[in-house]
Amino acid sequence: SQDLSSSYRNLDLQKTELQETRNYLSNIINSMPSMIMGIDKDMRITQWNLQAEKSTGISAEAAIGRSLTEVLPQIHSGMYKIKEAMEGKSVKRDESIPFEIMGEKAFADITVYPLITNGIDGAVIRIDDVTTRKKVENALLESQEKYRLVVDNANDGIVIIQDGLITFANKKTIEASGYSLDELIGMNFINLIAEEDRQATMHYYMARIRGEYAPKDYSFRIINRSGQLLWVAAHIVIITWEGRPATLNFMRGITHQKKTEEQLQQAQKMEAIGTLAGGIAHDFNNLLQAIQGYTQLLLMDEKKSGSSLRELQEILGAARRGGELTRQLLTFSRKVESHMRPLNINNEIERVEKIL
């Protein structure tokens, strides 16, 4: 009788300890922020935690004993995981899949663990609401896509240089340089700079990296893949790229502008030369007029004959040709209107021959 009473007391103690263990485990499961549910081999719900109640609006009493797909029809997207867990396969990693929580569209990570005692008795399903994370990821991807579109369609070449190497280049840079993206990434940027501009460009780059003064805007020449020299106007700022200092370089092609400037400078030089030539021509023409006048006076002397007469005539002819030259200078300087006329090249050569 005493042994039987002792056995009953031990049994009651074990029941109490078992109940306490169940309550302890139930409290742990209910305190988890994830939806936790257990199912048996027939896909009927055996466990339904507090977070599952909050997320679905279905109480544990209403869920336990019913088919999982009946209580949670949106679980169909994760059924393949459940079936594999029932076969004893390894736990599948989480993945964001479209879901529905409290009638609203959401995203969830579904993870399934096989429940094994003597065999596979069912599975434990954990569902995590990752809607906020997914929205942030989508917003980040959308933002990145917008920036990518802006950068790739920019009229300027955009390059990031770190440790002297190119780490980023947009489409405009690829087009201008003639190199592919794979060839540009990792290339020493100084190899793209014209030899005459390399020293100054490297000096400015190192000064920026050290935090010293360097002009943000200046022009230099680059060499594309075909060896062509191209002028670029650069705007350069120091940035942090992947946790380390780098330079962000905006480069606009100004080769055509440079050529136009050179042509303008040449035109200004020619205009100055023309102005100078016009002034000289007027003074020179006055001297020639005096030579022609005195020569004509000498030719009027009837006593002149023979070689002296021929010499005076040559002097007069040379003075007249000099006058023609002054008119050509004035034409070059746009001081007089030019008149086009046929010209006998042979006669001109003969005249030059006499002068020489």
Side-chain angles (χ1 to χ4, degrees):
S1 174
Q2 289 178 350
D3 292 340
L4 183 60
S5 177
S6 177
S7 296
Y8 279 127
R9 284 195 300 270
N10 290 335
L11 183 59
D12 289 339
L13 182 60
Q14 290 175 0
K15 287 181 178 179
T16 302
E17 291 177 350
L18 180 60
Q19 186 61 43
E20 289 177 353
T21 301
R22 285 179 176 176
N23 291 338
Y24 178 71
L25 293 175
S26 179
N27 288 334
I28 292 176
I29 293 173
N30 283 326
S31 66
M32 295 184 68
S34 304
M35 296 171 59
I36 303 293
M37 55 201 71
I39 58 173
D40 59 19
K41 289 188 292 185
D42 296 324
M43 300 290 290
R44 296 195 174 277
I45 298 171
T46 60
Q47 181 71 38
W48 191 263
N49 78 337
L50 186 60
Q51 186 60 45
E53 291 184 1
K54 292 179 180 178
S55 299
T56 62
I58 302 171
S59 66
E61 292 77 8
I64 292 175
R66 294 170 62 187
S67 170
L68 176 65
T69 55
E70 179 187 354
V71 177
L72 208 63
Q74 61 264 45
I75 200 70
H76 280 296
S77 55
M79 284 301 294
Y80 74 97
K81 291 185 174 185
I82 298 172
K83 291 179 180 178
E84 290 185 354
M86 290 296 192
E87 297 171 359
K89 294 185 179 179
S90 58
V91 177
K92 296 295 178 181
R93 293 186 179 275
D94 296 349
E95 56 183 65
S96 299
I97 59 174
F99 207 68
E100 188 175 301
I101 296 176
M102 294 295 286
E104 296 185 1
K105 292 182 179 180
F107 288 91
D109 285 346
I110 300 177
T111 310
V112 185
Y113 306 87
L115 187 59
I116 302 173
T117 52
N118 296 328
I120 299 176
D121 296 326
V124 177
I125 303 170
R126 189 189 84 209
I127 300 176
D128 295 295
D129 182 3
V130 294
T131 306
T132 302
R133 187 190 78 190
K134 191 68 177 177
K135 287 181 178 179
V136 172
E137 289 176 353
N138 289 340
L140 181 60
L141 289 173
E142 184 179 352
S143 177
Q144 289 175 340
E145 178 65 15
K146 287 180 180 178
Y147 279 114
R148 186 190 66 79
L149 288 173
V150 170
V151 170
D152 282 345
N153 291 283
N155 285 328
D156 295 348
I158 301 176
V159 179
I160 294 177
I161 299 172
Q162 189 175 64
D163 299 328
L165 305 178
I166 297 173
T167 59
F168 174 86
N170 70 337
K171 287 184 179 179
K172 193 68 175 181
T173 304
I174 295 170
E175 294 172 1
S177 68
Y179 292 96
S180 68
L181 181 61
D182 290 339
E183 290 173 325
L184 284 173
I185 299 300
M187 179 186 292
N188 192 323
F189 83 95
I190 205 67
N191 292 336
L192 292 176
I193 309 299
E195 188 173 352
E196 296 85 352
D197 300 332
R198 286 182 181 179
Q199 185 175 355
T201 304
M202 178 59 77
H203 172 73
Y204 291 152
Y205 172 77
M206 295 305 298
R208 282 191 202 90
I209 296 299
R210 292 192 299 264
E212 300 171 0
Y213 170 78
K216 290 184 178 180
D217 299 278
Y218 63 97
S219 302
F220 56 87
R221 287 162 292 183
I222 64 171
I223 311 173
N224 64 12
R225 186 167 192 168
S226 62
Q228 183 182 9
L229 281 174
L230 303 173
W231 276 97
V232 296
H235 177 76
I236 305 172
V237 293
I238 191 78
I239 63 169
T240 298
W241 180 260
E242 297 180 349
R244 293 187 296 115
T247 60
L248 176 60
N249 307 264
F250 299 90
M251 295 182 292
R252 174 164 296 183
I254 58 170
T255 304
H256 177 72
Q257 177 183 334
K258 280 289 184 180
K259 288 182 178 179
T260 302
E261 289 176 357
E262 290 175 0
Q263 292 173 353
L264 177 60
Q265 290 174 356
Q266 184 64 23
Q268 290 173 338
K269 289 180 181 178
M270 295 302 290
E271 182 180 358
I273 292 173
T275 302
L276 178 63
I280 293 174
H282 280 295
D283 291 339
F284 187 54
N285 195 48
N286 292 333
L287 296 174
L288 290 175
Q289 289 292 339
I291 294 173
Q292 289 184 58
Y294 283 114
T295 305
Q296 287 173 347
L297 288 174
L298 290 172
L299 286 172
M300 290 174 64
D301 188 353
E302 296 178 356
K303 296 180 180 179
K304 298 291 181 183
S305 62
S307 61
S308 61
L309 181 62
R310 288 193 301 273
E311 290 169 354
L312 288 172
Q313 289 174 342
E314 287 296 328
I315 293 172
L316 182 61
R320 288 172 178 171
R321 288 192 294 273
E324 179 64 25
L325 177 60
T326 60
R327 283 191 291 274
Q328 291 176 7
L329 287 173
L330 289 171
T331 301
F332 172 75
S333 65
R334 303 294 190 271
K335 299 297 182 181
V336 296
E337 185 179 354
S338 60
H339 298 282
M340 304 296 289
R341 60 180 175 81
L343 183 67
N344 188 321
I345 299 298
N346 292 329
N347 290 343
E348 293 299 317
I349 293 174
E350 289 176 357
R351 288 170 60 187
V352 171
E353 180 185 16
K354 292 180 179 179
I355 294 174
L356 297 176

